[in-house]
């Protein structure tokens, strides 16, 4: 996604403030600090170098050391009085305060001391700007196994901190119990359920495991790095999906596309969502969970399969009713 | 003449309006601030300047308007440096790490760049971030109506919008009706955003799903809302209910994790009598408050798990099974069958 002008302007101003306080900083360090590429930092410095007060004579401009610049280091020599840190706008303050509060509901994260101190400091610094945050509330579903999930989350976080491999006994959506070795990558939550994103040694690929389906979890030696595992924060989309399906859904089921990385291919009175799924068992669970919100499913063979299973279940109900 | 990038032009505007001894008029800005001379005509300049001024204010930069009384509509601008500054905030490496992780909560939502911008500002005065929390939370991306509604709730303003009621059925396309409400708060729950508000026409509290609001929201002036906001807006969660299930041996291990062990004296006598466990099944009791979610989970087990009680849970599961069974007779797709090998 290309950067917006306001994001870039915020960074240009932040760079001046930061460099007023830090003399002679390597470009690489600035890039890491502001989470952008080195090339972007150099473009930003080039822009700042020609910025200043009207007249734009040498003394009017922000200035940097050329010698340092040539050595891939940045040293600000004239800040033109732009060294003040810029306050947060109202929406900015609200977005962060609400996000921090929401994180306090994450199993295994809620007790991170930095979370509550950051929230307290931020709230104090933005004052009234965060008033809107009082009007926003994220209410994640309370997991029936909340305590168990929190215990597993704590083990996972400790394993991530210490680089430990885990032996996980897990019940899949297909109701199959397996024990496998995993190297934990991150904990994620979609607001409803918590997941462990991990490198599964059995699959030799990244897998998501729902924490409320853990039967057992034990440390098992040292984990290995998995550079091929990709960035943190990727969606729940299966990386080696076995099957592409098209679901016809009611419009209110749009979240399915968002949560599982599907593509909305048609939208009107009904919604067509193309979805890559890892297994038919997972899909069966999803279709039955959605119930009447699923109006159609392609391929047809799969739809007939799921329908047959549902029909057999209905028969079981009638038998025991009789 | 080379064109000046928008961020560079805005940067120069910020510096100019910070340093101006009194104020700068639009004419001065156009002729003196680097970048504005690129505007080919008056209209283009006005659009360019208005957009930049809005962006600066959106960023929290206090651009004040000063009108010269002597010259009628002679308007000038400057930046109020007093109110520009972020109050001292001394963040530790762990805290800036946590804030960076928090900004990612909005991934994919329109608040995503907003939160990133806020973190950039904090990084200006922060040490290098420590390894972050290793955990990500994702919330449903709020609709564009989110911001005006938060503002309205904060300023106690009435709003009106067109709303597709749930009763118009999932598939229906009944013309959305105009609703006039006093917003109380926004709630994310079950993968969606809701507005909790006082409905002026129905004279009652209502919950509106943001995705059903059609078009934009009109916000009235601040303090136009008159209905007192209840002290506790949190709605009581339903108490857990005792659900009696029949589970095939060695099946549904994830569901069995939730099972409660109860002695014979805890068993309600009526379900032992009226709901006998069918042959080939075992009795499993779970406590659950969200029966809709549980029904979705149980339906996924198809014939491996049957509900004996309560009746509404049983009905929820059977409804899902019926809907899935109906897929066998689904109409032919209106396009090529999806390629299963893709």
């Amino acid at each position: 996604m290309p950067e917006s002008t306001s994001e870039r302007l915020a960074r240009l101003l932040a760079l001046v403030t930061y460099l007023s306080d830090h003399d002679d900083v390597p470009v690489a360090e600035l890039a890491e600090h502001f989470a952008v590429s080195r090339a972007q930092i150099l473009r930003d410095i080039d822009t700042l170098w020609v910025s200043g007060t009207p007249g734009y004579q040498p003394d009017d401009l922000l200035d940097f050391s050329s010698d340092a610049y040539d050595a891939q280091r940045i040293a600000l020599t004239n800040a033109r009085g732009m060294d003040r840190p810029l306050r947060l706008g109202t929406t900015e303050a609200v977005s962060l305060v609400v996000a921090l509060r929401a994180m306090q509901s994450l199993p295994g994260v809620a007790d991170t001391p930095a979370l509550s101190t950051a929230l307290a400091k931020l709230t104090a610094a933005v004052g009234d700007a965060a008033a809107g945050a009082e009007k926003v509330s994220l209410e994640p579903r309370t997991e029936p196994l909340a305590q168990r999930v929190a215990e597993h989350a704590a083990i996972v976080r400790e394993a991530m901190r210490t680089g430990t491999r885990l032996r996980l006994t897990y019940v899949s959506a297909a109701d199959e119990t397996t024990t496998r070795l995993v190297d934990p990558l991150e904990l994620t939550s979609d607001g409803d359920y918590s997941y462990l994103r991990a490198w599964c040694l059995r699959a030799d690929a990244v897998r998501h495991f729902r924490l409320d389906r853990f039967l057992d979890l034990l440390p098992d030696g040292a984990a290995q790095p998995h550079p091929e595992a990709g960035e943190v924060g990727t969606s729940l989309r299966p990386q080696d999906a076995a099957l592409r399906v098209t679901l016809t859904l009611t419009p209110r089921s749009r979240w399915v596309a968002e949560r599982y990385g599907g593509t909305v291919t048609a939208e009107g009175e009904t919604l067509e969502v193309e979805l890559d799924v890892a297994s038919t068992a997972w899909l069966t669970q999803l279709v039955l969970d959605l119930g009447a919100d699923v109006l159609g499913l392609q391929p047809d063979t799969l739809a007939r399969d799921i329908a047959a299973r549902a029909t057999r279940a209905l028969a079981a109900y009638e038998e025991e009713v009789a | 003449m080379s064109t000046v990038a928008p961020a560079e032009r805005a940067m120069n505007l910020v510096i100019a309006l910070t340093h101006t001894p009194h104020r700068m008029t639009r004419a001065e800005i156009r002729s003196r601030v680097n970048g504005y001379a690129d505007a080919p005509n008056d209209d283009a300049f006005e659009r360019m300047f208005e957009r930049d001024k809005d962006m600066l204010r959106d960023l929290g930069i206090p651009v004040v308007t000063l009108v010269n009384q002597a010259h009628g509509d002679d308007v000038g601008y400057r930046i109020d440096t007093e109110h520009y500054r972020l109050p001292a905030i001394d963040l530790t490496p762990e805290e800036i790490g946590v804030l960076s992780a928090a900004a990612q909560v909005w991934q994919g939502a329109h608040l995503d760049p907003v939160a990133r911008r806020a973190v950039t500002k904090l990084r200006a005065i922060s040490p290098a971030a420590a390894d972050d929390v290793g955990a990500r939370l994702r919330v449903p991306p709020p609709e564009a109506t989110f911001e005006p509604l938060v503002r309205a709730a904060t300023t106690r303003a009435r709003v009106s919008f067109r709303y597709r009621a749930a009763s118009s059925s999932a598939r229906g396309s009944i013309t959305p009706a105009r609703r006039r409400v006093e917003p109380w708060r926004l709630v994310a729950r079950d993968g969606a955003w809701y507005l909790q508000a006082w409905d002026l026409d129905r004279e009652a509290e209502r919950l509106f799903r943001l995705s059903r609001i059609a078009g934009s929201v009109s916000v009235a002036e601040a303090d136009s809302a008159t209905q007192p906001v209840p002290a506790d807006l949190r709605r009581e969660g339903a108490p857990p209910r005792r659900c009696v299930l029949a589970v095939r041996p060695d099946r549904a291990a994830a569901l069995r994790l939730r099972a409660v062990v109860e002695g014979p004296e805890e068993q309600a006598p009526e379900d032992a009598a009226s709901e006998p466990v069918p042959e080939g099944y075992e009795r499993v009791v779970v406590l659950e408050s969200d029966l809709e979610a549980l029904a979705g989970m149980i339906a996924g087990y198809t014939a491996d798990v049957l509900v004996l009680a309560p009746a509404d849970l049983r009905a929820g599961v059977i409804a899902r099974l019926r809907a899935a069974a109906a897929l066998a007779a689904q109409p032919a797709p209106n396009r090529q069958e999806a390629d299963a090998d893709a």
Side-chain angles (χ1 to χ4, degrees), chain A residues 288 303-319, chain B residues 302-303 320-328:
Chain A
L288 279 151
R304 280 196 298 271
D305 222 44
I306 293 175
R309 290 195 58 186
T311 306
R312 282 198 296 277
L314 285 168
Y317 272 100
E318 277 152 20
E319 268 171 30
Chain B
T302 56
R320 281 171 171 81
L321 293 170
R322 290 222 165 96
L327 288 176

PDB file of all heavy atoms in Angstrom, chain A residues 288 303-319, chain B residues 302-303 320-328:
ATOM      1  N   LEU A 288     -21.231 -25.622   8.370  1.00  0.00           N
ATOM      2  CA  LEU A 288     -22.257 -25.984   9.344  1.00  0.00           C
ATOM      3  C   LEU A 288     -22.407 -24.906  10.408  1.00  0.00           C
ATOM      4  O   LEU A 288     -23.509 -24.643  10.884  1.00  0.00           O
ATOM      5  CB  LEU A 288     -21.929 -27.334   9.960  1.00  0.00           C
ATOM      6  CG  LEU A 288     -22.370 -28.477   9.034  1.00  0.00           C
ATOM      7  CD1 LEU A 288     -21.521 -29.699   9.201  1.00  0.00           C
ATOM      8  CD2 LEU A 288     -23.844 -28.793   9.254  1.00  0.00           C
ATOM      9  N   ALA A 303     -20.361 -29.802  -1.896  1.00  0.00           N
ATOM     10  CA  ALA A 303     -21.652 -29.406  -1.334  1.00  0.00           C
ATOM     11  C   ALA A 303     -22.499 -30.639  -1.057  1.00  0.00           C
ATOM     12  O   ALA A 303     -23.118 -30.761   0.002  1.00  0.00           O
ATOM     13  CB  ALA A 303     -22.374 -28.463  -2.305  1.00  0.00           C
ATOM     14  N   ARG A 304     -22.506 -31.569  -2.006  1.00  0.00           N
ATOM     15  CA  ARG A 304     -23.316 -32.788  -1.827  1.00  0.00           C
ATOM     16  C   ARG A 304     -22.781 -33.623  -0.667  1.00  0.00           C
ATOM     17  O   ARG A 304     -23.529 -34.219   0.097  1.00  0.00           O
ATOM     18  CB  ARG A 304     -23.324 -33.603  -3.125  1.00  0.00           C
ATOM     19  CG  ARG A 304     -24.323 -33.039  -4.142  1.00  0.00           C
ATOM     20  CD  ARG A 304     -24.620 -34.066  -5.242  1.00  0.00           C
ATOM     21  NE  ARG A 304     -23.439 -34.420  -5.999  1.00  0.00           N
ATOM     22  CZ  ARG A 304     -23.036 -33.770  -7.095  1.00  0.00           C
ATOM     23  NH1 ARG A 304     -23.734 -32.747  -7.552  1.00  0.00           N
ATOM     24  NH2 ARG A 304     -21.948 -34.152  -7.733  1.00  0.00           N
ATOM     25  N   ASP A 305     -21.468 -33.636  -0.541  1.00  0.00           N
ATOM     26  CA  ASP A 305     -20.805 -34.360   0.534  1.00  0.00           C
ATOM     27  C   ASP A 305     -21.214 -33.842   1.915  1.00  0.00           C
ATOM     28  O   ASP A 305     -21.585 -34.603   2.811  1.00  0.00           O
ATOM     29  CB  ASP A 305     -19.302 -34.129   0.363  1.00  0.00           C
ATOM     30  CG  ASP A 305     -18.522 -35.384   0.604  1.00  0.00           C
ATOM     31  OD1 ASP A 305     -18.961 -36.430   0.093  1.00  0.00           O
ATOM     32  OD2 ASP A 305     -17.513 -35.293   1.335  1.00  0.00           O
ATOM     33  N   ILE A 306     -21.130 -32.517   2.063  1.00  0.00           N
ATOM     34  CA  ILE A 306     -21.485 -31.900   3.341  1.00  0.00           C
ATOM     35  C   ILE A 306     -22.975 -32.090   3.604  1.00  0.00           C
ATOM     36  O   ILE A 306     -23.392 -32.402   4.727  1.00  0.00           O
ATOM     37  CB  ILE A 306     -21.093 -30.403   3.344  1.00  0.00           C
ATOM     38  CG1 ILE A 306     -19.566 -30.277   3.297  1.00  0.00           C
ATOM     39  CG2 ILE A 306     -21.681 -29.678   4.546  1.00  0.00           C
ATOM     40  CD1 ILE A 306     -19.054 -28.870   3.168  1.00  0.00           C
ATOM     41  N   ALA A 307     -23.794 -31.950   2.563  1.00  0.00           N
ATOM     42  CA  ALA A 307     -25.245 -32.135   2.703  1.00  0.00           C
ATOM     43  C   ALA A 307     -25.554 -33.540   3.182  1.00  0.00           C
ATOM     44  O   ALA A 307     -26.427 -33.754   4.030  1.00  0.00           O
ATOM     45  CB  ALA A 307     -25.939 -31.824   1.377  1.00  0.00           C
ATOM     46  N   ALA A 308     -24.818 -34.526   2.647  1.00  0.00           N
ATOM     47  CA  ALA A 308     -25.060 -35.921   3.024  1.00  0.00           C
ATOM     48  C   ALA A 308     -24.743 -36.140   4.501  1.00  0.00           C
ATOM     49  O   ALA A 308     -25.489 -36.819   5.215  1.00  0.00           O
ATOM     50  CB  ALA A 308     -24.221 -36.848   2.145  1.00  0.00           C
ATOM     51  N   ARG A 309     -23.648 -35.523   4.959  1.00  0.00           N
ATOM     52  CA  ARG A 309     -23.279 -35.657   6.371  1.00  0.00           C
ATOM     53  C   ARG A 309     -24.348 -35.024   7.257  1.00  0.00           C
ATOM     54  O   ARG A 309     -24.710 -35.565   8.308  1.00  0.00           O
ATOM     55  CB  ARG A 309     -21.925 -34.987   6.641  1.00  0.00           C
ATOM     56  CG  ARG A 309     -20.764 -35.720   6.017  1.00  0.00           C
ATOM     57  CD  ARG A 309     -19.463 -35.247   6.602  1.00  0.00           C
ATOM     58  NE  ARG A 309     -19.427 -35.433   8.049  1.00  0.00           N
ATOM     59  CZ  ARG A 309     -18.457 -35.006   8.849  1.00  0.00           C
ATOM     60  NH1 ARG A 309     -17.443 -34.350   8.331  1.00  0.00           N
ATOM     61  NH2 ARG A 309     -18.492 -35.215  10.130  1.00  0.00           N
ATOM     62  N   ALA A 310     -24.842 -33.847   6.831  1.00  0.00           N
ATOM     63  CA  ALA A 310     -25.880 -33.160   7.611  1.00  0.00           C
ATOM     64  C   ALA A 310     -27.159 -33.990   7.645  1.00  0.00           C
ATOM     65  O   ALA A 310     -27.824 -34.088   8.680  1.00  0.00           O
ATOM     66  CB  ALA A 310     -26.150 -31.781   7.007  1.00  0.00           C
ATOM     67  N   THR A 311     -27.488 -34.625   6.518  1.00  0.00           N
ATOM     68  CA  THR A 311     -28.700 -35.445   6.441  1.00  0.00           C
ATOM     69  C   THR A 311     -28.609 -36.637   7.400  1.00  0.00           C
ATOM     70  O   THR A 311     -29.565 -36.971   8.091  1.00  0.00           O
ATOM     71  CB  THR A 311     -28.912 -35.923   4.990  1.00  0.00           C
ATOM     72  OG1 THR A 311     -28.901 -34.768   4.139  1.00  0.00           O
ATOM     73  CG2 THR A 311     -30.240 -36.653   4.835  1.00  0.00           C
ATOM     74  N   ARG A 312     -27.427 -37.254   7.436  1.00  0.00           N
ATOM     75  CA  ARG A 312     -27.242 -38.379   8.356  1.00  0.00           C
ATOM     76  C   ARG A 312     -27.398 -37.939   9.812  1.00  0.00           C
ATOM     77  O   ARG A 312     -27.979 -38.648  10.630  1.00  0.00           O
ATOM     78  CB  ARG A 312     -25.854 -39.016   8.150  1.00  0.00           C
ATOM     79  CG  ARG A 312     -25.785 -39.921   6.924  1.00  0.00           C
ATOM     80  CD  ARG A 312     -24.587 -40.864   6.984  1.00  0.00           C
ATOM     81  NE  ARG A 312     -23.307 -40.166   6.946  1.00  0.00           N
ATOM     82  CZ  ARG A 312     -22.716 -39.759   5.824  1.00  0.00           C
ATOM     83  NH1 ARG A 312     -23.283 -39.959   4.650  1.00  0.00           N
ATOM     84  NH2 ARG A 312     -21.551 -39.140   5.874  1.00  0.00           N
ATOM     85  N   ALA A 313     -26.900 -36.727  10.103  1.00  0.00           N
ATOM     86  CA  ALA A 313     -27.022 -36.217  11.472  1.00  0.00           C
ATOM     87  C   ALA A 313     -28.495 -35.960  11.808  1.00  0.00           C
ATOM     88  O   ALA A 313     -28.947 -36.271  12.909  1.00  0.00           O
ATOM     89  CB  ALA A 313     -26.211 -34.942  11.635  1.00  0.00           C
ATOM     90  N   LEU A 314     -29.241 -35.414  10.848  1.00  0.00           N
ATOM     91  CA  LEU A 314     -30.670 -35.176  11.085  1.00  0.00           C
ATOM     92  C   LEU A 314     -31.383 -36.490  11.352  1.00  0.00           C
ATOM     93  O   LEU A 314     -32.266 -36.571  12.212  1.00  0.00           O
ATOM     94  CB  LEU A 314     -31.291 -34.461   9.872  1.00  0.00           C
ATOM     95  CG  LEU A 314     -30.940 -32.977   9.735  1.00  0.00           C
ATOM     96  CD1 LEU A 314     -31.344 -32.447   8.369  1.00  0.00           C
ATOM     97  CD2 LEU A 314     -31.609 -32.167  10.850  1.00  0.00           C
ATOM     98  N   ALA A 315     -30.979 -37.528  10.617  1.00  0.00           N
ATOM     99  CA  ALA A 315     -31.574 -38.852  10.814  1.00  0.00           C
ATOM    100  C   ALA A 315     -31.309 -39.338  12.235  1.00  0.00           C
ATOM    101  O   ALA A 315     -32.186 -39.897  12.892  1.00  0.00           O
ATOM    102  CB  ALA A 315     -31.015 -39.834   9.793  1.00  0.00           C
ATOM    103  N   ALA A 316     -30.099 -39.091  12.729  1.00  0.00           N
ATOM    104  CA  ALA A 316     -29.753 -39.507  14.093  1.00  0.00           C
ATOM    105  C   ALA A 316     -30.663 -38.820  15.099  1.00  0.00           C
ATOM    106  O   ALA A 316     -31.087 -39.423  16.084  1.00  0.00           O
ATOM    107  CB  ALA A 316     -28.294 -39.177  14.386  1.00  0.00           C
ATOM    108  N   TYR A 317     -30.982 -37.558  14.849  1.00  0.00           N
ATOM    109  CA  TYR A 317     -31.893 -36.848  15.750  1.00  0.00           C
ATOM    110  C   TYR A 317     -33.277 -37.468  15.721  1.00  0.00           C
ATOM    111  O   TYR A 317     -33.888 -37.702  16.754  1.00  0.00           O
ATOM    112  CB  TYR A 317     -31.988 -35.366  15.353  1.00  0.00           C
ATOM    113  CG  TYR A 317     -30.923 -34.535  16.019  1.00  0.00           C
ATOM    114  CD1 TYR A 317     -29.764 -34.171  15.344  1.00  0.00           C
ATOM    115  CD2 TYR A 317     -31.078 -34.114  17.337  1.00  0.00           C
ATOM    116  CE1 TYR A 317     -28.787 -33.422  15.950  1.00  0.00           C
ATOM    117  CE2 TYR A 317     -30.104 -33.358  17.957  1.00  0.00           C
ATOM    118  CZ  TYR A 317     -28.955 -33.012  17.259  1.00  0.00           C
ATOM    119  OH  TYR A 317     -27.999 -32.277  17.881  1.00  0.00           O
ATOM    120  N   GLU A 318     -33.791 -37.756  14.516  1.00  0.00           N
ATOM    121  CA  GLU A 318     -35.141 -38.290  14.429  1.00  0.00           C
ATOM    122  C   GLU A 318     -35.239 -39.658  15.092  1.00  0.00           C
ATOM    123  O   GLU A 318     -36.218 -39.959  15.743  1.00  0.00           O
ATOM    124  CB  GLU A 318     -35.597 -38.329  12.966  1.00  0.00           C
ATOM    125  CG  GLU A 318     -36.133 -36.973  12.541  1.00  0.00           C
ATOM    126  CD  GLU A 318     -35.980 -36.710  11.058  1.00  0.00           C
ATOM    127  OE1 GLU A 318     -35.809 -37.687  10.294  1.00  0.00           O
ATOM    128  OE2 GLU A 318     -36.023 -35.534  10.680  1.00  0.00           O
ATOM    129  N   GLU A 319     -34.151 -40.446  14.951  1.00  0.00           N
ATOM    130  CA  GLU A 319     -34.153 -41.771  15.570  1.00  0.00           C
ATOM    131  C   GLU A 319     -34.334 -41.664  17.079  1.00  0.00           C
ATOM    132  O   GLU A 319     -35.129 -42.370  17.656  1.00  0.00           O
ATOM    133  CB  GLU A 319     -32.818 -42.458  15.306  1.00  0.00           C
ATOM    134  CG  GLU A 319     -32.827 -43.310  14.043  1.00  0.00           C
ATOM    135  CD  GLU A 319     -31.434 -43.789  13.720  1.00  0.00           C
ATOM    136  OE1 GLU A 319     -30.634 -43.967  14.664  1.00  0.00           O
ATOM    137  OE2 GLU A 319     -31.157 -43.963  12.537  1.00  0.00           O
TER     138      GLU A 319
ATOM    139  N   THR B 302     -21.545 -32.921  13.101  1.00  0.00           N
ATOM    140  CA  THR B 302     -22.673 -33.658  12.494  1.00  0.00           C
ATOM    141  C   THR B 302     -23.151 -34.784  13.420  1.00  0.00           C
ATOM    142  O   THR B 302     -23.496 -34.508  14.556  1.00  0.00           O
ATOM    143  CB  THR B 302     -22.337 -34.137  11.068  1.00  0.00           C
ATOM    144  OG1 THR B 302     -21.151 -34.939  11.098  1.00  0.00           O
ATOM    145  CG2 THR B 302     -22.119 -32.950  10.134  1.00  0.00           C
ATOM    146  N   ALA B 303     -23.153 -36.029  12.944  1.00  0.00           N
ATOM    147  CA  ALA B 303     -23.788 -37.098  13.738  1.00  0.00           C
ATOM    148  C   ALA B 303     -22.950 -37.549  14.935  1.00  0.00           C
ATOM    149  O   ALA B 303     -23.398 -38.379  15.718  1.00  0.00           O
ATOM    150  CB  ALA B 303     -24.114 -38.289  12.841  1.00  0.00           C
ATOM    151  N   ARG B 320     -29.099 -25.539  11.552  1.00  0.00           N
ATOM    152  CA  ARG B 320     -27.855 -25.511  10.778  1.00  0.00           C
ATOM    153  C   ARG B 320     -27.730 -26.767   9.912  1.00  0.00           C
ATOM    154  O   ARG B 320     -27.307 -26.707   8.765  1.00  0.00           O
ATOM    155  CB  ARG B 320     -26.646 -25.401  11.719  1.00  0.00           C
ATOM    156  CG  ARG B 320     -26.426 -23.979  12.219  1.00  0.00           C
ATOM    157  CD  ARG B 320     -25.362 -23.953  13.308  1.00  0.00           C
ATOM    158  NE  ARG B 320     -24.982 -22.588  13.654  1.00  0.00           N
ATOM    159  CZ  ARG B 320     -25.676 -21.795  14.470  1.00  0.00           C
ATOM    160  NH1 ARG B 320     -26.803 -22.224  15.010  1.00  0.00           N
ATOM    161  NH2 ARG B 320     -25.259 -20.566  14.722  1.00  0.00           N
ATOM    162  N   LEU B 321     -28.086 -27.911  10.490  1.00  0.00           N
ATOM    163  CA  LEU B 321     -28.008 -29.160   9.733  1.00  0.00           C
ATOM    164  C   LEU B 321     -28.966 -29.129   8.544  1.00  0.00           C
ATOM    165  O   LEU B 321     -28.626 -29.563   7.442  1.00  0.00           O
ATOM    166  CB  LEU B 321     -28.312 -30.350  10.651  1.00  0.00           C
ATOM    167  CG  LEU B 321     -27.278 -30.638  11.748  1.00  0.00           C
ATOM    168  CD1 LEU B 321     -27.810 -31.672  12.739  1.00  0.00           C
ATOM    169  CD2 LEU B 321     -25.952 -31.125  11.142  1.00  0.00           C
ATOM    170  N   ARG B 322     -30.175 -28.587   8.755  1.00  0.00           N
ATOM    171  CA  ARG B 322     -31.159 -28.505   7.661  1.00  0.00           C
ATOM    172  C   ARG B 322     -30.630 -27.619   6.540  1.00  0.00           C
ATOM    173  O   ARG B 322     -30.758 -27.952   5.363  1.00  0.00           O
ATOM    174  CB  ARG B 322     -32.484 -27.931   8.179  1.00  0.00           C
ATOM    175  CG  ARG B 322     -33.218 -28.872   9.096  1.00  0.00           C
ATOM    176  CD  ARG B 322     -34.725 -28.887   8.823  1.00  0.00           C
ATOM    177  NE  ARG B 322     -35.313 -30.052   9.484  1.00  0.00           N
ATOM    178  CZ  ARG B 322     -35.893 -30.010  10.686  1.00  0.00           C
ATOM    179  NH1 ARG B 322     -35.989 -28.850  11.313  1.00  0.00           N
ATOM    180  NH2 ARG B 322     -36.387 -31.094  11.219  1.00  0.00           N
ATOM    181  N   ALA B 323     -30.034 -26.459   6.928  1.00  0.00           N
ATOM    182  CA  ALA B 323     -29.501 -25.540   5.913  1.00  0.00           C
ATOM    183  C   ALA B 323     -28.404 -26.221   5.104  1.00  0.00           C
ATOM    184  O   ALA B 323     -28.351 -26.095   3.886  1.00  0.00           O
ATOM    185  CB  ALA B 323     -28.968 -24.279   6.589  1.00  0.00           C
ATOM    186  N   ALA B 324     -27.541 -26.979   5.802  1.00  0.00           N
ATOM    187  CA  ALA B 324     -26.444 -27.655   5.100  1.00  0.00           C
ATOM    188  C   ALA B 324     -26.995 -28.787   4.225  1.00  0.00           C
ATOM    189  O   ALA B 324     -26.523 -29.005   3.102  1.00  0.00           O
ATOM    190  CB  ALA B 324     -25.425 -28.192   6.104  1.00  0.00           C
ATOM    191  N   ALA B 325     -28.018 -29.497   4.732  1.00  0.00           N
ATOM    192  CA  ALA B 325     -28.612 -30.585   3.949  1.00  0.00           C
ATOM    193  C   ALA B 325     -29.213 -30.050   2.658  1.00  0.00           C
ATOM    194  O   ALA B 325     -29.211 -30.719   1.613  1.00  0.00           O
ATOM    195  CB  ALA B 325     -29.667 -31.310   4.782  1.00  0.00           C
ATOM    196  N   ALA B 326     -29.713 -28.802   2.719  1.00  0.00           N
ATOM    197  CA  ALA B 326     -30.344 -28.194   1.544  1.00  0.00           C
ATOM    198  C   ALA B 326     -29.329 -27.886   0.445  1.00  0.00           C
ATOM    199  O   ALA B 326     -29.710 -27.645  -0.699  1.00  0.00           O
ATOM    200  CB  ALA B 326     -31.085 -26.919   1.957  1.00  0.00           C
ATOM    201  N   LEU B 327     -28.064 -27.906   0.773  1.00  0.00           N
ATOM    202  CA  LEU B 327     -27.034 -27.605  -0.235  1.00  0.00           C
ATOM    203  C   LEU B 327     -26.992 -28.674  -1.324  1.00  0.00           C
ATOM    204  O   LEU B 327     -26.471 -28.450  -2.411  1.00  0.00           O
ATOM    205  CB  LEU B 327     -25.650 -27.473   0.412  1.00  0.00           C
ATOM    206  CG  LEU B 327     -25.396 -26.222   1.261  1.00  0.00           C
ATOM    207  CD1 LEU B 327     -24.028 -26.303   1.909  1.00  0.00           C
ATOM    208  CD2 LEU B 327     -25.511 -24.967   0.411  1.00  0.00           C
ATOM    209  N   ALA B 328     -27.527 -29.867  -1.025  1.00  0.00           N
ATOM    210  CA  ALA B 328     -27.550 -30.928  -2.020  1.00  0.00           C
ATOM    211  C   ALA B 328     -28.415 -30.516  -3.205  1.00  0.00           C
ATOM    212  O   ALA B 328     -28.192 -30.943  -4.337  1.00  0.00           O
ATOM    213  CB  ALA B 328     -28.081 -32.218  -1.399  1.00  0.00           C
TER     214      ALA B 328
END
